[in-house]
């Protein structure tokens, strides 16, 4: 059984080729001069990996390429996403982005393949 960290490393290796780039989204809070500063996108529920996938759009956009926001929630082989994580995935999808849960590089690539259909 692979850990979430092992799956994350595999997924980043698979996604960071060609037209896709994925980056680790470290979420944290730090107190600076008495004020809390949040790091990561967006906070509660933010996916482990964020990035973009470049696509060529239909003739209506005259072949321009666009970068579609990508959010991958990485889980161990038996891990389950939280309600906050599922809500973030649904938000990204509703806004036209690519988002989902993946436990392997193949599952992450499948999110992109399904989006492009």
């Amino acid at each position: 059984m692979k850990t979430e960290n092992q799956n994350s490393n595999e997924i980043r290796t698979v996604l960071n080729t060609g037209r896709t780039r994925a980056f680790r989204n470290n979420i944290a809070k730090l107190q600076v001069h008495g004020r809390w500063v949040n790091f990561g996108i967006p906070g509660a529920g933010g996916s482990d990996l964020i990035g973009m996938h470049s696509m060529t759009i239909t003739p209506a956009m005259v072949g321009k390429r666009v970068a579609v926001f990508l959010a991958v929630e990485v889980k161990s082989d038996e891990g389950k996403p939280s309600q906050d994580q599922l809500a973030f995935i649904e938000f990204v999808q509703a806004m036209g982005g690519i988002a989902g849960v993946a436990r392997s590089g193949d599952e992450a690539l499948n999110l992109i393949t399904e989006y492009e259909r």
Side-chain angles (χ1 to χ4, degrees), residues 3-10 12 24 74:
T3 66
E4 184 174 315
N5 189 52
Q6 290 169 319
N7 286 342
S8 180
N9 289 338
E10 176 190 336
R12 278 186 286 136
R24 180 84 177 106
V74 179

Side-chain angles (χ1 to χ4, degrees), residues 25-30 32 37-43:
N25 180 34
N26 292 313
I27 299 172
K29 277 186 173 180
L30 176 67
V32 179
V37 179
N38 294 311
F39 298 92
I41 301 172

Side-chain angles (χ1 to χ4, degrees), residues 51-63:
M52 60 194 87
H53 175 70
S54 178
M55 298 177 59
T56 301
I57 301 302
T58 63
M61 293 184 70
V62 196

Side-chain angles (χ1 to χ4, degrees), residues 11-107:
I11 290 166
R12 278 186 286 136
T13 298
V14 169
L15 289 182
N16 285 319
T17 60
R19 301 179 298 140
T20 305
R21 292 294 178 267
F23 310 96
R24 180 84 177 106
N25 180 34
N26 292 313
I27 299 172
K29 277 186 173 180
L30 176 67
Q31 197 167 24
V32 179
H33 303 294
R35 301 181 98 189
W36 286 99
V37 179
N38 294 311
F39 298 92
I41 301 172
S47 293
D48 296 308
L49 304 176
I50 58 169
M52 60 194 87
H53 175 70
S54 178
M55 298 177 59
T56 301
I57 301 302
T58 63
M61 293 184 70
V62 196
K64 289 185 179 179
R65 294 185 69 79
V66 298
V68 177
F69 186 79
L70 171 69
V72 179
E73 182 59 42
V74 179
K75 292 294 174 193
S76 67
D77 291 348
E78 296 179 356
K80 304 264 188 232
S82 71
Q83 288 302 313
D84 285 340
Q85 291 165 339
L86 291 173
F88 182 72
I89 289 167
E90 290 174 12
F91 168 74
V92 171
Q93 290 172 340
M95 296 296 289
I98 303 167
V101 176
R103 291 171 177 80
S104 68
D106 287 341
E107 286 185 5

